[in-house]
Amino acid sequence: MRHKQLGAGLARRLAVLTEAARRKVSEREHLREYARAAASIRAALAGAKIDPAPISCLRTIADAEPRLTRLGDTPELQLADAVFAAGHPRLASRDSLAAIAAERAAGFAGRPPPDRGASLLDWYAWSLATRPRR
């Protein structure tokens, strides 16, 4: 009986630690997505000679890169996070911001940029649609 109690307690502690790790990986993954989106949007704005200052969604994600730096993000940590996420059902099943924006990008092809107050997803999709073909 004692052995089962020890196993149950250990399982609970492992579950708590796994959930804490999932939250940290999820936070870093979101920040990385925001940083990639911001870089894509800024590049598209520069290509279109549009001032990024009035684009409200860029202000909401402006702290993504500095936060990643403070969290000690490295290529090794990114790889470890990717491996963890692939093995975690909640993280593995989530569509990335880039994938969602890519699905919407065709709707922005050949069109002017969204309004300056448009969503991050709209600006990201527009930035992908304006990317030169390779």
Side-chain angles (χ1 to χ4, degrees):
M1 183 71 163
R2 176 116 167 90
H3 182 66
K4 283 186 179 183
Q5 289 174 338
L6 180 62
L10 187 57
R12 280 192 300 276
R13 285 191 294 274
L14 181 57
V16 167
L17 290 172
T18 301
E19 179 57 21
R22 186 206 58 79
R23 282 193 308 270
K24 288 182 184 235
V25 168
S26 181
E27 177 188 9
R28 287 189 299 265
E29 287 293 316
H30 280 102
L31 289 172
R32 290 178 191 126
E33 285 187 315
Y34 291 155
R36 283 189 295 272
S40 180
I41 294 166
R42 281 191 209 105
L45 290 170
K49 297 181 177 34
I50 298 172
D51 179 15
I55 311 302
S56 61
C57 70
L58 285 176
R59 288 190 298 274
T60 63
I61 60 173
D63 69 336
E65 287 184 51
R67 285 179 61 194
L68 278 170
T69 300
R70 284 193 304 274
L71 292 172
D73 199 36
T74 63
E76 294 80 13
L77 184 57
Q78 291 171 24
L79 178 59
D81 285 355
V83 169
F84 181 89
H88 195 283
R90 198 174 340 165
L91 294 173
S93 66
R94 189 174 80 62
D95 285 336
S96 71
L97 185 60
I100 297 167
E103 288 176 4
R104 296 180 64 171
F108 288 93
R111 298 188 62 203
D115 292 333
R116 63 183 177 181
S119 71
L120 171 64
L121 193 53
D122 282 350
W123 277 103
Y124 197 7
W126 173 79
S127 74
L128 296 175
T130 63
R131 185 178 291 171
R133 301 274 183 228
R134 292 180 191 171

